[in-house]
Amino acid sequence: MRRPVLLVVAHGSRDPRHAATVHDLVRRVRAQRPGLRVETGFLDFNVPSVGAVLESLDAEGVRDVVALPLLLTRAFHAKADIPAVLSEAPPRLRIRQADVLGPSPLLVAALERRLYEAGLTPADKSSTGVVLASAGSSDPEAIAVIADVAREWRHTGWCAVRPAFASASLPRTEDAVRELRELGCARVAVAPYVLAPGRLPDRIARGAAEADVLADVLGPSPEVARVLLERYDAARTPLLTALGA
């Protein structure tokens, strides 16, 4: 039996860097799992739309799809927007929505990769405070997840780790940077917990003006690609079991 198609569902953005980064990540996923068909659809701003991809797959005769939200937390898009779009898919498609990407130890590894690429070394950890800078959400569950990630990450040896948010929630990145300075960390680094460039990541970058180190977004890192495949595998197993595979 053919493996279900993996449909990566991205938010979309007016910023062209967003779609370019999403496509780079999808290419890495394909490279890690040769033979797996991976498609990309956007909720807004970019093409193709999720609905258009589903219509096209149906027309080709595809019947099984795993729709994977390209999101780090379970907030409004994962809970409402994506299910609503999937509910309008052609009825012959069997679609299973995979879990969001976070939290995952692989994402923390990707954050550290970006910090080291920005100039830090493992020897700097004990003297460096890190701002875990998220896009932000009004969903309490999403905010709690970011706080948990920061708390767990702190236990790996950093001087301190503080969550911050570019929108909807507090503190802002610049406030968390100042807090770590006041705490006495020898240096302060900002690690954007976002997948692709755009308006909110740019706001995080502006908030990092007084930090010593600003890491890049997670982007198409190999760890993120592995998380996508883990979520796909977890979602496809019940689907194939139901089909008797």
Side-chain angles (χ1 to χ4, degrees):
M1 180 174 290
R2 303 174 78 178
R3 287 180 288 186
V5 171
L6 170 55
L7 172 58
V8 176
V9 180
H11 182 274
S13 171
R14 293 186 178 90
D15 189 321
R17 297 174 298 168
H18 173 90
T21 301
V22 170
H23 291 309
D24 286 344
L25 175 58
V26 168
R27 280 191 287 271
R28 188 176 286 274
V29 171
R30 292 187 182 121
Q32 288 192 10
R33 185 73 61 88
L36 173 62
R37 181 172 178 180
V38 188
E39 300 291 341
T40 308
F42 295 90
L43 291 174
D44 206 355
F45 302 118
N46 302 106
V47 294
S49 68
V50 175
V53 175
L54 293 172
E55 292 282 354
S56 178
L57 291 173
D58 177 63
E60 290 180 33
V62 170
R63 290 296 168 259
D64 300 308
V65 177
V66 171
L68 196 158
L70 198 60
L71 301 167
L72 295 173
T73 59
R74 269 183 49 79
F76 183 79
H77 294 304
K79 294 177 179 178
D81 284 352
I82 293 175
V85 171
L86 297 181
S87 70
E88 298 176 355
R92 289 177 297 184
L93 288 176
R94 292 181 290 262
I95 304 174
R96 187 170 185 87
Q97 182 175 328
D99 288 338
V100 297
L101 303 185
S104 168
L106 286 168
L107 295 177
V108 175
L111 288 166
E112 296 213 357
R113 170 193 288 274
R114 294 305 188 217
L115 286 171
Y116 297 151
E117 289 171 349
L120 294 178
T121 70
D124 296 323
K125 292 182 75 167
S126 62
S127 58
T128 302
V130 179
V131 178
L132 180 67
S134 168
S137 173
S138 58
D139 188 306
E141 178 185 350
I143 298 304
V145 167
I146 300 301
D148 287 344
V149 172
R151 184 164 48 251
E152 292 299 318
W153 198 16
R154 161 68 181 84
H155 295 323
T156 66
W158 296 99
C159 174
V161 180
R162 294 290 186 271
F165 307 93
S167 68
S169 307
L170 296 174
R172 295 287 183 256
T173 302
E174 53 268 34
D175 297 324
V177 169
R178 295 187 190 106
E179 179 185 351
L180 290 173
R181 291 275 189 224
E182 293 169 0
L183 191 63
C185 297
R187 68 182 63 78
V188 176
V190 173
Y193 192 55
V194 293
L195 289 166
R199 179 175 58 87
L200 294 179
D202 284 348
R203 186 178 296 173
I204 290 171
R206 290 193 295 272
E210 296 181 11
D212 301 294
V213 174
L214 171 62
D216 200 357
V217 298
L218 295 173
S221 66
E223 296 87 353
V224 176
R226 285 173 58 195
V227 176
L228 264 71
L229 290 170
E230 284 186 355
R231 298 294 184 258
Y232 168 79
D233 289 337
R236 71 187 282 262
T237 301
L239 180 59
L240 293 180
T241 300
L243 297 173

